[in-house]
């Protein structure tokens, strides 16, 4: 997140040491009170609470926030909008002692559990030694289970509130990361829900709602007064998906200097879609702008996209924060417009940046006002946005709903069970030759487990982690089912030598079955470090080939990574019987691996990213932002929506120990939309054959001109478990545009639901779709239109025609 963090993390991550030791020693515990507006607290400060109207609960949040801001002088105001220690990258508001206002660190993280990153939250003492570490989002996304995502958010926020009660946590968490995995080399893919805009948006809605929603108060006529459990933040806005890319030559591209050249079509259709869903449907209370430039303009200084889109068009109820040191990046590294530090500070404030994770606001904002570059009312507006969020959180007044939460609510048995369930749901079975899996504990009593991740612990919790409640490694998990013989096979993930392979071979020769645990870690993919290729490091391939060749029983390869690994030879190999993608599965990951191998759980995860062939890295540079193929340059396109080449595995691929069949209950669907007589049809759609007789006179209508109703496309899918084992299935509903429409996606995921079915059981899954959102087409000029004609919905090999009729009103 922060440039200083980026320089620190590689040293820690390369040695795979936990950041916990640093956090415990270096992060103070600033929270020694329950809430600001406590009469006893004010009395202890020799202040009288009736003197401060911002503590008057009878007033609206806006009036109270404005009163607080109006009570400050300009110097005090500036010190509340960023860190006050020159050169540090925290976001600590200094507080105003004369007003009884304490300091507050805005920066906490909760990507997949309460984290120590940022300093707003820490671990220590007898009460808060750890918190539940869930799978990384790339794993959770593979479950394609929106209910699970919301439950994870709820559990994390409960633990965060309990830690806040004990003085160890803040209330503002800068999660989730909802950037798209446009390119599989991106180092932060593990932090995200994958490559699909709709999936990322639905993930954002549910994870944010889980974090923020107070039960029974999920909606309000005045959203700025809606209480929050904790505050979430959707990041990094926008088109941020390059961290540090090295080419085969000497050229490097990093996130601080990168200028993402993006068409408006791709912005509307892909990059902005998850953020729009997060703000409008998730009602997130914060958005973070990114380091990169977009078409020459730094993201945090882009008033059109920040103030114009996030605040005005999408109606954000909250604050906008910078990625850490973004203003410094604009001034020192991007040298945008040759601005001075003061001018850069003015640019981002005018653009709508409410909070600086850094120290530029604290140092330069006062002078920026005095020089006349911004108005003091601009500063006031930012502060009011920030304080309204803290009021909604109960930072000023407390929140009795959560007062009883304590250490027993952190790392509870139920929380760890949910982490284990999430790990199981997010694992993907890629190969199962001859139904080699599941193994029977009665038959396979001695298991060899080899490879650099056989004893995985810290690697399973990835980055932006906290201190986990415990680790269950693959070895630990397998021991619950069989006798285990462990041989490392490699000298770590780098696997620099093959000298350990011989011992692994001996283990495999003597075992009833062999598990080979391989993959990557944060040395190879992380923040500030992108991948250059898809091959396993060092001698890992050699380890798999050699051990699989001598194993007397079934061979199961388990892969830890965020996505694409070149395993095409092992998919074809007769020596490798099964392959499981385990991702970064969190603290319970080893148990989930074992449960799947031995059939205690039937896998049902689906890949949230396309697994490209190894040559993809030579076909297209990581910096090409365009999603559609570029025939002139020979670029094959990106993601399942536009990629026109071959794959190792498609987006949405995943096997099960049973089989499912689908059928649409509806024979077809008709959607009629009235086009107001004062509106024009949009008749500029490009079709492959201009002479097509079935192109309607009214080709399409602007979505903004239509009366759009949620659920106006109602679809029922009958799902049957036709196999012999109980299991869960992710029912994935795709849409295709009318035939011949040039530039349309190959297909687009519009809805999904995870269902559990006993062997032989059938269920009907209902999908309620908004045609304006899910069947719309984005034109080359970035117009969102609803085409008239026959659209197609797909589930598995089943198709359903959906007829969109645009009716001109008379």
């Amino acid at each position: 997140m922060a440039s200083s963090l980026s320089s620190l993390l590689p040293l820690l991550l390369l040695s795979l040491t936990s950041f916990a030791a640093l956090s415990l020693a270096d992060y103070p515990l600033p929270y020694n009170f329950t809430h600001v507006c406590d009469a006893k607290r004010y009395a202890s400060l020799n202040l009288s609470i009736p003197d401060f109207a911002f503590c008057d609960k009878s007033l609206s949040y806006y009036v109270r926030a404005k009163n607080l801001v109006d009570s400050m002088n300009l110097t005090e105001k500036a010190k509340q909008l960023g860190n006050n220690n020159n050169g540090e990258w925290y976001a600590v508001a200094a507080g105003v002692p004369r007003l009884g206002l304490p300091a507050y660190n805005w920066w906490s993280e909760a990507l997949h559990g309460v984290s120590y990153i940022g300093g707003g939250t820490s671990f220590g003492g007898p009460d808060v030694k750890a918190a539940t570490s869930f799978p990384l989002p790339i794993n959770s996304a593979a479950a394609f289970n929106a209910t699970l995502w919301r439950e994870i958010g709820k559990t994390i926020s409960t633990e965060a509130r309990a830690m806040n009660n004990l003085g160890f946590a803040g209330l503002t968490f800068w999660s989730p990361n909802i950037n798209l995995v446009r390119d599989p080399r991106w180092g932060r893919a593990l932090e995200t829900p994958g490559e699909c805009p709709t999936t990322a948006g639905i993930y954002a809605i549910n994870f944010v709602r889980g974090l923020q929603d107070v039960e029974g108060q999920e909606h309000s006529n005045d959203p700025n007064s809606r209480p929050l459990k904790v505050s979430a933040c959707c990041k990094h806005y926008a088109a941020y998906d390059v961290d540090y890319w090295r080419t085969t030559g000497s050229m490097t591209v990093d996130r601080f200097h990168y200028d993402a050249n993006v068409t408006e079509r791709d912005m509307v259709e892909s990059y902005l879609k998850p953020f729009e869903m997060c703000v409008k449907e998730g009602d997130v209370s914060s958005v973070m702008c990114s380091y990169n430039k977009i078409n020459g303009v730094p993201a945090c200084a882009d008033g059109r996209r920040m103030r114009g889109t996030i605040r005005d068009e999408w109606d954000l109820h909250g604050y906008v924060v910078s990625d850490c040191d973004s203003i410094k990046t604009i001034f020192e590294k991007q040298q945008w417009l040759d601005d001075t530090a003061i001018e850069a500070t003015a640019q981002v404030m005018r653009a709508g940046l409410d909070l600086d994770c850094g120290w530029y606001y604290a140092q330069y904002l006062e002078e920026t006002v005095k020089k006349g570059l911004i108005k003091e009312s601009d500063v006031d507006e930012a502060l009011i946005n920030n304080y309204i969020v803290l009021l909604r959180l109960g930072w000023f007044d407390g929140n009795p709903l959560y007062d009883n939460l304590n250490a027993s609510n952190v790392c509870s048995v139920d929380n760890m069970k949910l982490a284990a369930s999430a790990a199981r749901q997010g694992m993907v079975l890629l190969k199962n030759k001859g139904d080699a899996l599941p193994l029977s504990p009665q038959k396979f009593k001695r298991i060899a487990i080899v490879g650099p991740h056989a004893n995985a612990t810290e690697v399973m919790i990835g980055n932006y982690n906290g201190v986990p409640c415990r680790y269950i490694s693959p070895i630990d998990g397998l021991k619950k089912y069989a006798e285990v013989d462990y041989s490392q096979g490699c000298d770590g993930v780098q696997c620099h030598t093959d000298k350990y392979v011989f011992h692994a071979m001996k283990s495999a020769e003597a075992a009833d079955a062999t598990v080979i645990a391989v993959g990557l870690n944060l040395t190879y993919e992380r923040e500030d470090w992108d991948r250059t290729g898809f091959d396993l490091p060092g001698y890992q391939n050699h380890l798999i080939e050699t051990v699989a060749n001598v194993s007397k029983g079934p061979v199961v390869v388990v892969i830890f990574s965020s996505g694409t690994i070149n395993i095409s030879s092992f998919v074809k190999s007769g020596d490798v019987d099964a392959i499981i993608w385990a991702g970064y599965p969190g603290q319970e990951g080893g148990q989930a691996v074992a449960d799947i191998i031995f059939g205690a759980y039937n896998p049902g995860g689906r890949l949230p990213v396309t697994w490209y062939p190894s040559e993809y890295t030579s076909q297209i540079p990581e910096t090409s932002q365009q999603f559609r193929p570029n025939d002139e340059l020979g670029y094959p396109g990106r993601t399942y929506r536009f990629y026109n080449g071959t794959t190792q595995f498609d987006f949405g691929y995943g096997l099960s120990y049973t089989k499912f069949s689908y059928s649409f209950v509806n024979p077809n669907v008709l959607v009629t939309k009235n086009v107001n007589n004062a509106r024009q049809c949009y008749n500029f759609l490009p079709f492959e054959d201009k002479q097509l007789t079935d192109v309607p006179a009214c080709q399409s209508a602007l979505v903004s001109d239509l009366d759009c109703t949620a659920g106006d496309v109602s679809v029922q899918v009958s799902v049957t478990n036709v196999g012999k084992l109980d299991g869960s299935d992710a029912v994935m509903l795709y849409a295709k545009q009318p035939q011949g429409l040039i530039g349309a996606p190959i297909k687009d995921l519009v809805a999904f639901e995870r269902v559990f079915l006993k062997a032989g059981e059938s269920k009907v899954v209902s999908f309620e779709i908004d045609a304006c959102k899910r069947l719309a087409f984005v034109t080359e000029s970035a117009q969102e239109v609803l085409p008239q004609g026959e659209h197609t919905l797909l589930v598995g090999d089943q198709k359903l025609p959906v007829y969109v009729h645009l009716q001109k009103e008379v």
Side-chain angles (χ1 to χ4, degrees):
M1 172 173 294
S3 56
S4 299
L5 177 62
S6 302
S7 63
L8 176 63
L9 274 178
L11 299 175
L12 299 169
L13 298 175
L14 284 171
S15 61
L16 295 179
T17 56
S18 172
F19 203 6
L22 177 66
S23 73
L24 298 181
D26 292 2
Y27 292 169
L29 303 180
Y31 312 113
N32 56 2
F33 58 91
T34 57
H35 58 279
V36 173
C37 295
D38 179 355
K40 291 182 179 179
R41 177 181 170 274
Y42 266 77
S44 72
L45 298 172
N46 295 319
L47 298 171
S48 176
I49 204 166
D51 294 339
F52 302 96
F54 58 82
C55 283
D56 186 347
K57 295 180 184 180
S58 69
L59 302 176
S60 71
Y61 286 163
Y62 176 82
V63 170
R64 292 174 65 183
K66 187 176 187 307
N67 175 267
L68 173 59
V69 173
D70 290 346
S71 302
M72 301 179 193
N73 60 42
L74 182 57
T75 301
E76 291 167 336
K77 291 175 181 178
K79 291 183 181 299
Q80 313 313 311
L81 290 173
N83 201 54
N84 294 280
N85 295 323
N86 188 326
E88 292 193 12
W89 35 262
Y90 296 157
V92 180
V96 184
R98 67 180 182 83
L99 301 177
L101 185 71
Y104 179 74
N105 189 335
W106 286 85
W107 185 8
S108 292
E109 296 280 354
L111 182 72
H112 57 107
V114 179
S115 169
Y116 43 65
I117 302 297
T121 297
S122 55
F123 296 85
D127 295 324
V128 185
K129 296 181 179 179
T132 307
S133 184
F134 290 90
L136 271 291
I138 197 72
N139 280 77
S140 296
F144 286 94
N145 186 343
T147 301
L148 173 69
W149 301 338
R150 191 169 295 219
E151 286 303 312
I152 291 173
K154 285 181 180 178
T155 302
I156 292 172
S157 61
T158 294
E159 293 199 346
R161 270 287 178 177
M163 291 173 65
N164 177 262
N165 288 346
L166 296 166
F168 283 86
L171 294 170
T172 47
F173 291 84
W174 293 348
S175 304
N177 179 343
I178 58 170
N179 295 117
L180 300 180
V181 183
R182 171 186 54 83
D183 190 286
R185 288 163 283 193
W186 184 37
R188 301 187 75 171
L190 70 166
E191 301 175 30
T192 78
E195 70 182 39
C196 173
T198 301
T199 305
I202 294 173
Y203 178 89
I205 292 166
N206 285 278
F207 186 75
V208 166
R209 287 283 182 183
L211 286 175
Q212 292 195 161
D213 281 0
V214 174
E215 189 172 350
Q217 302 183 70
E218 293 86 354
H219 303 281
S220 171
N221 291 330
D222 177 14
N224 281 314
S225 68
R226 185 172 76 89
L228 300 170
K229 190 177 180 185
V230 301
S231 170
C233 174
C234 283
K235 63 184 184 184
H236 311 80
Y237 182 85
Y240 168 59
D241 47 22
V242 171
D243 265 64
Y244 187 80
W245 178 54
R246 292 91 59 214
T247 66
T248 53
S250 59
M251 187 183 79
T252 60
V253 179
D254 68 61
R255 58 183 175 165
F256 305 115
H257 299 88
Y258 183 56
D259 188 359
N261 293 309
V262 185
T263 67
E264 286 299 314
R265 182 187 212 177
D266 279 334
M267 287 297 290
V268 170
E269 184 178 54
S270 299
Y271 294 108
L272 297 186
K273 187 174 181 178
F275 289 93
E276 180 178 10
M277 294 170 71
C278 182
V279 173
K280 293 170 116 177
E281 299 175 64
D283 196 23
V284 75
S285 51
S286 178
V287 172
M288 176 183 287
C289 57
S290 54
Y291 291 118
N292 56 286
K293 291 185 285 186
I294 304 171
N295 300 329
V297 182
C300 290
D302 192 335
R304 179 171 71 94
R305 299 194 194 280
M306 293 236 300
R307 189 180 296 277
T309 300
I310 299 175
R311 178 108 21 218
D312 295 341
E313 182 182 341
W314 296 346
D315 193 22
L316 172 70
H317 308 121
Y319 67 98
V320 179
V321 61
S322 70
D323 205 341
C324 297
D325 273 347
S326 284
I327 309 176
K328 181 182 178 183
T329 296
I330 292 170
F331 168 58
E332 292 188 0
K333 297 183 178 181
Q334 297 172 351
Q335 299 179 348
W336 187 53
L337 302 180
D338 292 324
D339 277 352
T340 64
I342 293 173
E343 290 168 336
T345 301
Q347 294 274 18
V348 296
M349 175 59 75
R350 287 196 296 264
L353 184 68
D354 299 309
L355 182 66
D356 171 25
C357 181
W359 49 274
Y360 267 49
Y361 267 6
Q363 180 159 331
Y364 297 116
L365 204 55
E366 183 176 0
E367 190 173 354
T368 301
V369 174
K370 290 180 178 178
K371 285 183 175 291
L373 299 179
I374 61 171
K375 298 178 290 185
E376 187 171 357
S377 60
D378 296 328
V379 179
D380 294 348
E381 180 185 352
L383 283 165
I384 289 170
N385 289 335
N386 298 346
Y387 283 124
I388 286 176
V389 170
L390 288 181
L391 281 158
R392 293 169 64 193
L393 285 163
W395 191 65
F396 285 90
D397 304 330
N399 194 325
L401 286 173
Y402 307 116
D403 284 350
N404 292 328
L405 296 177
N406 54 43
S408 68
N409 300 104
V410 183
C411 287
S412 69
V413 172
D414 286 345
N415 294 358
M416 290 193 285
K417 284 182 178 179
L418 181 63
S421 175
R424 288 190 291 263
Q425 291 188 50
M427 290 188 181
V428 181
L429 182 62
L430 299 176
K431 177 182 180 180
N432 193 20
K433 179 173 68 76
D435 292 332
L437 295 182
L439 302 182
S440 166
Q442 288 74 38
K443 181 179 178 181
F444 297 92
K445 296 181 178 182
R446 180 180 173 86
I447 303 296
I449 180 165
V450 306
H453 288 320
N455 198 28
T457 53
E458 290 168 333
V459 68
M460 297 193 299
I461 65 172
N463 61 352
Y464 282 87
N465 55 289
V467 180
C469 311
R470 65 182 183 186
Y471 290 114
I472 298 182
S473 71
I475 293 175
D476 297 331
L478 289 169
K479 284 180 178 178
K480 296 183 179 182
Y481 295 99
E483 179 187 346
V484 174
D485 181 22
Y486 164 56
S487 179
Q488 66 188 84
C490 282
D491 58 335
V493 176
Q494 290 86 349
C495 207
H496 293 305
T497 176
D498 65 351
K499 70 179 182 179
Y500 300 99
V501 173
F502 178 76
H503 296 290
M505 292 168 61
K506 290 299 181 183
S507 294
E509 286 175 334
D512 298 323
T514 300
V515 177
I516 308 174
V518 296
L520 308 178
N521 65 6
L522 297 182
T523 304
Y524 295 94
E525 52 180 355
R526 64 178 186 269
E527 181 175 9
D528 209 19
W529 196 259
D530 295 338
R531 297 163 63 187
T532 55
F534 303 148
D535 289 337
L536 288 167
Y539 283 89
Q540 286 193 38
N541 279 343
H542 175 67
L543 172 70
I544 298 172
E545 293 165 357
T546 307
V547 171
N549 182 253
V550 302
S551 176
K552 75 173 185 179
V555 174
V556 182
V557 175
V558 179
I559 300 170
F560 292 81
S561 73
S562 67
T564 304
I565 297 291
N566 182 15
I567 56 171
S568 56
S569 63
F570 304 125
V571 173
K572 299 172 185 175
S573 171
D575 292 334
V576 174
D577 299 280
I579 302 174
I580 297 170
W581 175 73
Y584 293 93
Q587 65 175 52
E588 308 291 310
Q591 189 59 58
V593 168
D595 289 345
I596 288 173
I597 289 174
F598 277 94
Y601 184 81
N602 187 348
R606 305 288 193 96
L607 292 177
V609 291
T610 301
W611 280 40
Y612 300 92
S614 59
E615 59 267 22
Y616 186 78
T617 58
S618 63
Q619 292 174 335
I620 186 169
E622 185 178 343
T623 49
S624 172
Q625 297 287 151
Q626 183 175 320
F627 280 89
R628 286 169 174 78
N630 186 320
D631 294 336
E632 183 178 344
L633 295 175
Y635 295 169
R638 298 189 179 279
T639 78
Y640 76 96
R641 293 176 302 139
F642 299 107
Y643 175 63
N644 60 14
T646 60
T647 67
Q648 291 188 80
F649 300 103
D650 292 340
F651 171 90
Y653 178 87
L655 301 175
S656 170
Y657 297 152
T658 189
K659 296 184 182 299
F660 299 91
S661 68
Y662 312 100
S663 63
F664 285 102
V665 176
N666 330 47
N668 55 64
V669 176
L670 174 64
V671 180
T672 300
K673 295 288 186 184
N674 292 322
V675 180
N676 188 287
N677 193 47
R679 305 292 186 183
Q680 293 291 332
C681 292
Y682 187 91
N683 289 331
F684 308 105
L685 295 184
F687 282 90
E688 291 177 358
D689 187 346
K690 293 288 186 182
Q691 305 305 315
L692 284 175
T693 57
D694 56 350
V695 174
C698 183
Q699 291 183 1
S700 67
L702 294 173
V703 167
S704 58
D705 287 347
L706 297 174
D707 180 12
C708 297
T709 305
D712 55 0
V713 179
S714 182
V715 177
Q716 288 76 45
V717 178
S718 177
V719 187
T720 302
N721 182 344
V722 296
K724 297 179 180 180
L725 297 175
D726 301 346
S728 62
D729 182 47
V731 184
M732 304 177 74
L733 184 69
Y734 294 89
K736 294 188 70 170
Q737 293 288 335
Q739 186 175 1
L741 184 55
I742 296 173
I746 297 168
K747 61 181 180 180
D748 203 356
L749 184 65
V750 294
F752 50 84
E753 185 170 332
R754 183 91 173 224
V755 294
F756 177 83
L757 296 170
K758 294 181 179 180
E761 184 183 7
S762 296
K763 286 184 180 178
V764 173
V765 178
S766 295
F767 295 106
E768 305 295 326
I769 300 167
D770 183 342
C772 292
K773 292 179 180 178
R774 300 292 182 253
L775 302 183
F777 173 72
V778 179
T779 70
E780 192 170 5
S781 58
Q783 296 273 32
E784 288 188 272
V785 302
L786 181 62
Q788 182 164 224
E790 183 179 322
H791 298 244
T792 306
L793 294 178
L794 306 97
V795 172
D797 59 356
Q798 300 296 301
K799 298 180 180 180
L800 175 72
V802 176
Y803 301 95
V804 173
H805 176 56
L806 300 177
Q807 181 173 284
K808 263 291 214 179
E809 292 181 346
V810 180

